Amino acid sequence: MTSTLEPLLPGDTTDGSPLSAAELVAVRADFPLLGRTLRDGRPLVYLDSGATSQKPDVVLDAEQDFYVRRNAAVHRGAHQLAEEATEAFEGARARVAGFVGASPGELVWTSNATAAINLVAYAMSNASLGRGGEAARRFALGAGDEIVVTEAEHHANLVPWQELAARTGATLRWLGVDDDGRIRTDQLATVVTERTRVLAFTHASNVTGAITPVEAFVARAREVGALTVLDACQSVPHLPVDLPALGVDFAAFSGHKMYGPTGVGALYGRRELLEAMPPVTTGGSMVEVVTMEATTYAPPPQRFEAGTQMVSQAVALGAAAQYLAELGMPGVAAHEHHLAGALLDAVASVPGVRVVGPTENVDRLAAVSFVVDGVHAHDVGQVLDDAGVAVRVGHHCAQPLHRRFGVAATARASAGVYTTDDDVAAFREALAGVRTFFGLDGTATDGRPA
Amino acid sequence: MSSAMEQLYQQVILDHAKHPHGRGLPEGVSAVGVAAADHGTCAATSHQVNPTCGDEVTLHVDVDTTGDVPVVRDVAWEGQGCSISQASTSVLHDLVVGQDLPAVDRVAATFREMMQSQGASLSPDAEELLGDAAAFVGVSRYAARVKCAQLGWVALNDALILSGARTTEDA
């Protein structure tokens, strides 16, 4: 792995074969944290990449290098340092945009993915108040208009739309989820109508791991003239993603889930839409001409980047995108597809454990949520933690989805590029001990054989 | 299994989680904090949620106010959550039913101190006062689980305030 920060070459020349054993060893060596031990010297089995990923040296080095050698205010100042800092900042934008198939002018830095989705919702709110003039009318909502989301959404792609509906008088509707945890694509025809102005949906559920057939959503949205907003937080780190090719209008993703730092995320928007959209956060750096009476705004993406930006994090996120691109996303996806199968097999092999989400390894990520009969998710997580296995427990910021399945909480094992079969084996072994620890036998209460 | 785990999930906790005491709300008790007062009694219900995990407890307290100090006549609760939160609420029931308010406050304060102790061993006095609840000392080593153990106690405090038996928090 190289630590240079050359621009990405267009296209991905790597094939889709999974990482080889040697490549996987090399990848793991890139992530210093994976080498640490836990209580009582246990090795770490990190299966919580769906919540946040660990960081490779190239990312840590890029952030440090920015402060050590190039730190200056970007987009201002005539000195060499300012020039170099701006180059690093904008170079990272080009790298991250290129990673998702977009051009730099279509990528807005945000503090995280939640902020990216809120940016779109508040821009629409402002347009509904008449801000942005005639060009922004297409974003204006009012009574009679509808916003459609899905029951599978992370709260970040649900609550901002509830709030937007409340502010504008629009109605919030949603697509359901089937017993397999997949969004009810069959409801697109009835729930998404001529009244629908926004269709916001996840590319892949952070709970079920199910991958959404984006084409069907985009096609239906286009039929009725609705804007599409894609939550791509779970897809961008794990699958090859080309946002313009998917045809969505907006997409949000976070840096820290794709091996980059916290504090930085991105909003992708089709250029034509970003140009027409009114600003949300206003102040320094996002203006053209300011008088005491009025202000004209900079073109996107700067129009949406008021105030000092998270420059070092953006630079480090650029390094993360480059790291993934060099590994090759088809290979990363193939590796994780294998892990999804291994995790599903592990869970299926332990009596009394039920998957929430697709049980077949088709169109799903290596994020497997499950319940253990008779044991609360918190207690499951605690027993796994005792074996050094880190999983997420709780509602994973998706309460409606958990309610849909009649559970308050699940445990979730999620893989990343550095996850190995050994990790899955350690997880399986720890999981097998959970029901015994709580004095339950090895037979499932639903009658499945042990 | 490590000794820390055995400390965390002591048998007494597992037993309370499996066979909780005081579980089941009386007929007609509202899920949300509505106080009811009658001659010599007052009652209220508190609903508490741990937003990080979605665990919930609805706790109803019945207080006898005929004497010099209010006495907790009964505690009934319903909830769903991890073994720590369920067992802790079960132990709470055993500790406070029949106790007057100053005694309830003493035991609640001792329990809270134990939760903040990060696993330090209990004084003999505290151990005697807490009874089965002393088993929760292992929980205090796991910061993420302290809230689980306190869910029922927070509900009790809130319900006592709602009932009018106590006018200020930690009176």
Side-chain angles (χ1 to χ4, degrees), chain A residues 283-351:
Chain A
S285 307
M286 48 76 71
V287 299
E288 270 175 357
V289 180
V290 181
T291 66
M292 289 311 292
E293 291 77 26
T295 297
T296 58
Y297 299 114
Q302 279 73 30
R303 185 188 302 164
F304 304 103
E305 297 176 354
T308 299
Q309 294 295 294
M310 60 306 274
V311 180
S312 66
Q313 290 108 310
V315 169
L317 181 53
Q322 177 155 342
Y323 179 81
L324 283 172
E326 283 171 3
L327 282 176
M329 286 310 288
V332 169
H335 171 60
E336 295 185 25
H337 176 74
H338 162 77
L339 292 167
L343 284 170
L344 286 169
D345 288 348
V347 168
S349 73
V350 177

Side-chain angles (χ1 to χ4, degrees), chain A residues 172-431:
Chain A
L172 185 81
R173 300 185 68 190
W174 55 91
L175 301 164
V177 164
D178 69 17
D179 291 343
D180 234 13
R182 296 193 189 275
I183 299 168
R184 292 278 304 272
T185 310
D186 60 301
Q187 292 176 339
L188 277 170
T190 49
V191 177
V192 179
T193 69
E194 299 294 331
R195 290 186 298 279
T196 307
R197 304 292 312 284
V198 181
L199 175 57
F201 60 103
T202 188
H203 195 177
S205 163
N206 68 314
V207 177
T208 66
I211 297 170
T212 309
V214 176
E215 324 72 55
F217 284 64
V218 168
R220 181 59 184 154
R222 283 183 178 165
E223 270 172 22
V224 301
L227 292 166
T228 46
V229 182
L230 186 73
D231 172 356
C233 285
Q234 294 295 331
S235 56
V236 166
H238 304 293
L239 302 170
V241 173
D242 185 326
L243 294 170
L246 286 174
V248 292
D249 293 314
F250 296 100
F253 56 97
S254 58
H256 73 98
K257 290 189 202 294
M258 58 182 286
Y259 314 103
T262 54
V264 63
L267 172 70
Y268 158 81
R270 287 200 298 113
R271 181 73 192 178
E272 171 210 355
L273 294 172
L274 289 180
E275 278 173 355
M277 209 162 76
V280 173
T281 305
T282 55
S285 307
M286 48 76 71
V287 299
E288 270 175 357
V289 180
V290 181
T291 66
M292 289 311 292
E293 291 77 26
T295 297
T296 58
Y297 299 114
Q302 279 73 30
R303 185 188 302 164
F304 304 103
E305 297 176 354
T308 299
Q309 294 295 294
M310 60 306 274
V311 180
S312 66
Q313 290 108 310
V315 169
L317 181 53
Q322 177 155 342
Y323 179 81
L324 283 172
E326 283 171 3
L327 282 176
M329 286 310 288
V332 169
H335 171 60
E336 295 185 25
H337 176 74
H338 162 77
L339 292 167
L343 284 170
L344 286 169
D345 288 348
V347 168
S349 73
V350 177
V353 182
R354 177 165 53 90
V355 170
V356 173
T359 49
E360 227 189 323
N361 192 13
V362 177
D363 292 333
R364 65 141 36 250
L365 297 177
V368 177
S369 294
F370 56 92
V371 291
V372 178
D373 288 334
V375 185
H376 189 275
H378 252 193
D379 297 321
V380 174
Q382 199 80 60
V383 175
L384 296 185
D385 172 66
D386 195 56
V389 180
V391 298
R392 173 86 185 261
V393 298
H395 50 61
H396 319 305
C397 297
Q399 290 181 14
L401 185 60
H402 279 75
R403 206 165 289 125
R404 159 69 180 80
F405 284 95
V407 293
T410 55
R412 179 189 67 194
S414 57
V417 60
Y418 36 61
T419 305
T420 64
D421 284 335
D422 288 347
D423 289 335
V424 178
F427 160 70
R428 194 222 164 267
E429 193 187 327
L431 183 63

Side-chain angles (χ1 to χ4, degrees), chain A residues 39-40 42 376-380 382-386 392-396 399 407-409 433 437-440, chain B residues 1-6 8-9 14 18 50-56 80-84 141-142 144-145 148:
Chain A
R39 287 181 207 101
D40 305 330
R42 281 185 210 89
H376 189 275
H378 252 193
D379 297 321
V380 174
Q382 199 80 60
V383 175
L384 296 185
D385 172 66
D386 195 56
R392 173 86 185 261
V393 298
H395 50 61
H396 319 305
Q399 290 181 14
V407 293
F437 180 77
F438 288 102
L440 303 163
Chain B
M1 217 50 69
S2 71
S3 63
M5 278 292 277
E6 278 152 16
L8 174 63
Y9 292 111
L14 296 179
K18 249 185 171 172
N50 181 351
T52 56
C53 61
D55 284 4
E56 296 181 43
Q80 50 102 13
C82 63
S83 57
I84 303 295
R141 292 179 57 172
Y142 296 87
R145 304 305 297 276
C148 309

